[in-house]
């Protein structure tokens, strides 16, 4: 799954190549790609025709293209393998091309949604007063959002009966921190993933949030991290290469801080990677 930095790279590509362009034609080539648009592909295509895309927006891992003056947005679901490509109109169709959007200008390029595994797709939604597609109104701001409410985040950690990695992945509390970046931020903070959040002091939770931001900003600076070769950026060029991760995927390799072999534990149908020495498990409560 793409994480926040990868999605932000796609958003920037859309901002550069698609913002301000007016749709002339939409071709839906596979019904699964519009299954989140209940009125179907023909309705999706008809409602986009003649509309102008505004600058793409993102919250957490959600990405959308607002349509000017309509109060609606096209929400992009990248799923496991979805790509938004800006391609020359005469470029051969990709094998897994699902949706094509053509524009009325003379730039000679079109927007393509390509998805091998068809978990992703596009759908049209009304916007909330904040400008979010209504289906993601409950998603909290992400830590790279200038309006992220840090004080509320720290308060929630103190009050909730949860553990720290669960909290980092709770999209109603903080969005956009996926499994990879959660493990990295916890390693930098020397926190075990099962530490109860109520035991974190304000400086500790501020440190954790700072590390989460740093990890994501560093990944963004190199174009995102991806472990899925299918995932490429808006122009179809793979912008992703493995930055040197300290925790994720490093089972059995020496901790970059203390040399102890890193461990992996099953965690909520995923894995958690951690250093058993730097990130001590919490003492069982009495
Ligand atoms: Zn260590």
């Amino acid at each position: 799954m793409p994480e926040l930095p990868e999605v932000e790279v796609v958003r920037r590509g859309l901002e550069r190549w698609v913002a301000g362009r007016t749709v002339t034609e939409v071709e839906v080539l596979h019904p699964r790609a519009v299954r989140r648009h209940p009125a179907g592909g023909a309705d999706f295509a008809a409602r986009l025709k003649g509309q102008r895309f505004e600058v793409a927006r993102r919250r957490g891992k959600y990405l959308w293209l607002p349509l000017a003056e309509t109060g609606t947005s096209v929400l992009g679901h990248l799923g496991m393998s979805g790509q938004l490509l800006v391609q020359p109109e005469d470029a051969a169709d990709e094998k897994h091309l699902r949706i094509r959007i053509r524009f009325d200008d003379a730039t000679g390029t079109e927007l393509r949604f390509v998805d091998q595994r068809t978990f992703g797709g596009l759908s049209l939604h009304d916007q909330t007063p904040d400008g979010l597609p209504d289906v993601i109104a409950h998603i909290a701001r992400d830590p790279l959002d200038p309006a992220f409410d840090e004080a509320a985040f720290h308060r929630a950690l103190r009050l909730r009966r949860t553990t720290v990695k669960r909290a980092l992945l709770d999209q109603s509390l903080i969005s956009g921190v996926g499994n990879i970046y959660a493990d990295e931020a916890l390693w930098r903070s020397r926190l075990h993933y099962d530490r109860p959040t109520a035991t974190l002091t304000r400086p500790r939770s501020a440190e954790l949030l700072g590390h989460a931001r740093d990890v994501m900003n560093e990944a963004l600076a190199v174009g995102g991290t991806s472990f899925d070769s299918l995932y490429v950026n808006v122009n179809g060029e793979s912008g992703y290469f493995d930055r040197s991760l300290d925790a994720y995927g490093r089972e059995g390799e020496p901790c970059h801080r203390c040399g102890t072999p890193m461990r992996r534990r099953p965690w909520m149908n995923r894995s958690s990677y951690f250093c058993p020495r730097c990130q001590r498990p919490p003492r069982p409560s009495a």
Side-chain angles (χ1 to χ4, degrees), residues 187 255-260 262 275-279:
W187 181 85
C255 169
H256 286 154
R257 200 160 38 214
C258 74
T260 304
M262 299 288 290
C275 170
R277 186 165 171 209
C278 298
Q279 297 167 269

Side-chain angles (χ1 to χ4, degrees), residues 3 165 168-169 177-191 193 207-216 218-219 225 227 243-251 256-257 262 271-275 279:
E3 298 217 22
K165 188 169 171 183
L168 284 177
L169 297 184
V177 184
N179 202 39
I180 298 172
Y181 298 112
D183 280 2
E184 293 300 305
L186 289 167
W187 181 85
R188 291 187 184 196
S189 306
R190 302 176 192 234
L191 285 171
Y193 55 91
E207 186 191 352
L208 175 63
L209 188 60
H211 284 311
R213 278 198 183 112
D214 288 350
V215 170
M216 290 194 285
E218 287 164 26
T225 304
F227 294 88
R243 59 178 288 276
S244 86
L245 296 170
D246 290 310
Y248 191 85
R250 298 196 63 245
E251 183 180 20
H256 286 154
R257 200 160 38 214
M262 299 288 290
S271 290
S272 278
Y273 295 88
F274 66 105
C275 170
Q279 297 167 269

Side-chain angles (χ1 to χ4, degrees), residues 139-282:
I139 301 294
R141 290 184 189 276
D142 62 67
L144 301 188
D145 187 328
F148 182 81
D149 187 343
E150 236 173 272
F153 176 73
H154 297 310
R155 265 198 312 277
L157 289 190
R158 292 288 290 174
L159 293 171
R160 287 196 190 191
R161 297 179 69 86
T162 186
T163 49
V164 65
K165 188 169 171 183
R166 277 173 187 264
L168 284 177
L169 297 184
D170 180 345
Q171 303 284 298
S172 68
L173 192 59
I174 181 170
S175 68
V177 184
N179 202 39
I180 298 172
Y181 298 112
D183 280 2
E184 293 300 305
L186 289 167
W187 181 85
R188 291 187 184 196
S189 306
R190 302 176 192 234
L191 285 171
H192 189 275
Y193 55 91
D194 267 344
R195 173 88 173 253
T197 59
T199 67
L200 292 181
T201 61
R202 170 78 183 245
R204 287 293 271 152
S205 67
E207 186 191 352
L208 175 63
L209 188 60
H211 284 311
R213 278 198 183 112
D214 288 350
V215 170
M216 290 194 285
N217 276 321
E218 287 164 26
L220 199 46
V222 298
T225 304
S226 183
F227 294 88
D228 186 345
S229 60
L230 291 168
Y231 194 72
V232 293
N233 72 21
V234 72
N235 288 312
E237 297 156 10
S238 178
Y240 310 102
F241 48 93
D242 305 9
R243 59 178 288 276
S244 86
L245 296 170
D246 290 310
Y248 191 85
R250 298 196 63 245
E251 183 180 20
E253 292 173 44
C255 169
H256 286 154
R257 200 160 38 214
C258 74
T260 304
M262 299 288 290
R263 289 199 186 145
R264 178 176 67 85
R265 288 283 177 274
W267 185 86
M268 293 181 73
N269 299 320
R270 295 181 244 202
S271 290
S272 278
Y273 295 88
F274 66 105
C275 170
R277 186 165 171 209
C278 298
Q279 297 167 269
R280 302 270 189 193

Side-chain angles (χ1 to χ4, degrees), residues 30-65:
H30 196 298
R32 271 182 66 79
V34 289
R35 69 187 181 285
R36 294 179 185 84
H37 185 81
D43 180 80
F44 179 79
R47 290 179 64 185
L48 251 65
K49 195 173 171 181
Q51 303 301 331
R52 180 165 49 85
F53 284 130
E54 292 182 332
V55 172
R57 292 185 58 193
R58 181 189 57 73
R59 176 172 286 193
K61 301 178 204 175
Y62 291 90
L63 174 73
W64 68 96
L65 284 156

